[in-house]
Amino acid sequence: MDVLFFLLISSMMISSGKGYSSTVETKQCSVFPGRPKCFEPIKQIKGTEQEITSFISVETVTTINRGESVAISGVKISGVRDDTTVGERSSRVWCYKDTNYDDTIHGTQFWKSNGTDWKNVTDLDAKDLVITTRREKWTCIQGIRETSTELCRMVTEHLTKKIIGRVNYPVGTYIHKIPIPRLRHDEQQMYRAAIREIKYTDTSFVKKKYEGSLEEKRDEVSTEIAEENTGDFIELDKAGDVVTVSNSSGPNSSGKIVYKRKSSIQTGEAFKNQESSAKCYKVDMDHIRTNDVFGIFPEWSYSVNDGRTYTSIETSNFHEKFIITKYQIMRCGIEHQADLTFFRVDMEYLFTGDVNEVHVTETIDNIYKFKLPGSSTETSFGIVESFDFNLETPTDAFRFAGKVTIDESSTLRHDEYLKMILVPVKTQEKTSKQGKKLEPSKSSKGWCCIGRSKTAP
């Protein structure tokens, strides 16, 4: 049985300097195992330490989105009252990872508001509000003889499905704002909220304060818990064209999902040659003034139960069916062949409905299944995908067969003539802090031309 001594050291805590709650904005993150996370791993340390170093009664309020697109004006995560304490400041406990996590008992308690009044979010409503990406329950025991359970510790992470205005949250809760990829360059930037809640309870499972410390059991091998931050995802075997996600259907099952993006036939041998090499630069989407590279999403369609009639998921409602946590466009040039260029999209995203089967293509790198909140039977899937496209036929995806190298030293922007401009990353970061205007790179004349017109749309 794994035994862990925790200290929560995250980028949010470091940036706030307080060590109990904070909010940050991130461009990219992952909820899947073995990849950079939306939240930093919970670290193992030597000695004894408090995990949450301060309890205050005042909530933190963070604005996630503004404007007419907001579907829910406010979401609140329940906190603790000053008089609800379990254990003492001098308490020291060992925590054992438990497997019997139940959303209805151990999950995060949400409230929502579309005005001034707060309404309790039921377990059924929670399915429409969030996707739960991590569920951990720890039984914490005091004393060497391990005769009594003092408290339980839960770590839960979510992604919001709805466009929400603000989040009210207590200590022990951490928020990331994840940009939703835009469909047009002039579209307002909207965000998802990624939420991590850490809480303590006694056996009544009411959230309470715990101001003691967590202790490592000295006779356990520390390497056993090196992979503790794996989330709720199970990787599926992608052998063949059909992947089984679940053998049972919930009442809202979407039946089969089929991935229908076409694979285009590239006439140039360099695209199909495994010996070819390409160098890619990330496109800075905040400084693009054309719609040519916006709204490039994979094409899916779904069938409800019968498996014969499929409905296409259009680009305009892609975000209603999928939650994207990572989205990066890169422009790539085949080395020694300056006229052969293409774009690559790296994506990570989750489907929001119940699914039985997924039909996949060669552009999908990994597929995972996970349990939907509030149900023991409803299961969905997540995707890690890379696909390539040309501007002339952006809906035709293919996979460059050669080796791809990503140059992190510069990013690509547009000038007023829609030519690609390489901007050194160090210069970009330095000037953004100083608020100065960036000048086009003189060495970037070869990166032309993404647009079909010499005037901006």
Side-chain angles (χ1 to χ4, degrees):
M1 191 160 34
D2 289 346
V3 183
L4 185 58
F5 174 34
F6 291 107
L7 176 66
L8 183 60
I9 305 175
S10 73
S11 60
M12 297 80 70
M13 297 165 65
I14 294 172
S15 64
S16 68
K18 296 179 179 179
Y20 53 83
S21 66
S22 187
T23 303
V24 296
E25 179 181 335
T26 179
K27 292 288 185 184
Q28 310 284 332
C29 74
S30 179
V31 294
F32 301 130
R35 295 175 175 271
K37 301 295 179 183
C38 294
F39 299 97
E40 290 293 320
I42 297 169
K43 306 290 186 180
Q44 179 191 14
I45 66 168
K46 300 298 180 183
T48 58
E49 193 70 53
Q50 290 177 329
E51 179 174 50
I52 302 174
T53 60
S54 175
F55 284 91
I56 56 176
S57 58
V58 178
E59 292 178 330
T60 301
V61 181
T62 292
T63 298
I64 307 298
N65 295 290
R66 303 179 187 272
E68 297 179 356
S69 298
V70 171
I72 301 174
S73 63
V75 170
K76 180 164 66 174
I77 297 165
S78 62
V80 299
R81 298 190 306 272
D82 292 338
D83 59 344
T84 54
T85 301
V86 56
E88 300 175 352
R89 188 175 292 275
S90 60
S91 297
R92 188 176 296 175
V93 297
W94 294 331
C95 292
Y96 297 83
K97 196 170 184 178
D98 199 339
T99 58
N100 65 337
Y101 187 107
D102 187 331
D103 283 339
T104 59
I105 301 173
H106 312 123
T108 302
Q109 182 59 63
F110 292 101
W111 298 73
K112 66 179 181 179
S113 171
N114 274 320
T116 57
D117 297 329
W118 291 98
K119 178 183 178 182
N120 184 21
V121 176
T122 65
D123 295 326
L124 184 62
D125 291 337
K127 292 167 53 179
D128 295 326
L129 180 64
V130 296
I131 291 290
T132 302
T133 58
R134 184 177 181 185
R135 300 169 172 89
E136 288 183 7
K137 176 175 176 286
W138 299 79
T139 299
C140 299
I141 299 172
Q142 186 176 30
I144 298 176
R145 297 181 180 180
E146 305 175 2
T147 56
S148 62
T149 299
E150 292 293 329
L151 63 122
C152 293
R153 172 186 180 274
M154 268 73 75
V155 181
T156 311
E157 295 179 3
H158 312 275
L159 295 171
T160 54
K161 295 171 64 175
K162 301 287 188 180
I163 302 298
I164 61 176
R166 70 182 188 278
V167 180
N168 295 35
Y169 59 98
V171 294
T173 302
Y174 307 88
I175 309 292
H176 266 183
K177 291 173 61 177
I178 304 175
I180 298 173
R182 292 173 289 169
L183 300 181
R184 295 178 53 85
H185 74 98
D186 56 354
E187 200 174 55
Q188 179 186 358
Q189 180 64 72
M190 306 300 287
Y191 298 86
R192 304 274 187 196
I195 301 168
R196 171 193 271 176
E197 180 195 40
I198 297 177
K199 65 184 176 186
Y200 296 95
T201 74
D202 59 14
T203 54
S204 68
F205 297 114
V206 175
K207 187 188 295 188
K208 298 188 176 184
K209 289 193 299 184
Y210 173 67
E211 296 182 322
S213 55
L214 306 168
E215 184 172 357
E216 176 189 22
K217 193 171 182 179
R218 304 287 179 178
D219 58 354
E220 293 289 331
V221 180
S222 61
T223 55
E224 292 182 3
I225 49 89
E227 298 297 326
E228 61 93 12
N229 192 17
T230 56
D232 260 19
F233 297 89
I234 300 174
E235 187 167 4
L236 301 174
D237 186 5
K238 202 174 77 70
D241 297 331
V242 180
V243 176
T244 299
V245 177
S246 174
N247 292 319
S248 61
S249 300
N252 300 315
S253 174
S254 295
K256 295 181 180 179
I257 298 291
V258 60
Y259 182 55
K260 70 163 188 175
R261 176 180 280 277
K262 297 176 292 184
S263 295
S264 63
I265 300 174
Q266 294 298 313
T267 56
E269 287 298 323
F271 290 101
K272 297 183 288 186
N273 185 358
Q274 295 183 359
E275 302 300 321
S276 297
S277 296
K279 180 182 286 188
C280 300
Y281 293 91
K282 295 179 179 179
V283 176
D284 183 354
M285 301 299 288
D286 291 333
H287 294 83
I288 297 293
R289 296 189 296 275
T290 174
N291 291 319
D292 288 342
V293 292
F294 284 87
I296 306 295
F297 302 137
E299 294 182 357
W300 289 83
S301 61
Y302 64 96
S303 171
V304 179
N305 297 325
D306 64 9
R308 292 186 296 271
T309 303
Y310 290 95
T311 301
S312 177
I313 299 175
E314 302 297 335
T315 298
S316 58
N317 65 358
F318 190 88
H319 296 305
E320 297 177 10
K321 298 292 185 181
F322 294 96
I323 295 176
I324 301 173
T325 63
K326 178 180 179 181
Y327 186 83
Q328 180 65 63
I329 290 184
M330 294 176 284
R331 190 174 192 268
C332 307
I334 299 180
E335 294 183 349
H336 311 301
Q337 300 185 62
D339 58 330
L340 293 179
T341 62
F342 61 92
F343 284 83
R344 168 159 292 191
V345 179
D346 280 346
M347 289 184 67
E348 296 188 17
Y349 52 101
L350 297 81
F351 190 66
T352 59
D354 188 22
V355 175
N356 294 334
E357 290 183 359
V358 181
H359 295 224
V360 299
T361 67
E362 69 280 0
T363 64
I364 293 176
D365 299 301
N366 306 93
I367 179 169
Y368 302 87
K369 71 175 181 179
F370 65 96
K371 186 180 74 170
L372 292 173
S375 172
S376 60
T377 60
E378 295 187 351
T379 306
S380 194
F381 69 97
I383 293 290
V384 176
E385 179 177 15
S386 294
F387 61 87
D388 304 320
F389 70 93
N390 290 315
L391 287 178
E392 292 76 16
T393 55
T395 59
D396 292 344
F398 66 94
R399 179 68 70 88
F400 173 66
K403 179 183 177 181
V404 170
T405 301
I406 302 174
D407 191 330
E408 300 278 0
S409 65
S410 301
T411 59
L412 286 168
R413 296 185 175 184
H414 276 159
D415 65 6
E416 63 271 30
Y417 300 108
L418 304 183
K419 294 181 180 179
M420 288 303 240
I421 300 174
L422 276 175
V423 179
V425 170
K426 289 185 179 179
T427 302
Q428 180 183 348
E429 292 175 349
K430 181 178 180 181
T431 53
S432 62
K433 291 179 181 178
Q434 295 174 344
K436 295 180 180 179
K437 183 178 180 181
L438 290 169
E439 295 298 329
S441 170
K442 295 181 180 179
S443 62
S444 61
K445 295 180 180 179
W447 293 92
C448 175
C449 296
I450 181 175
R452 300 183 182 90
S453 170
K454 291 187 178 181
T455 57

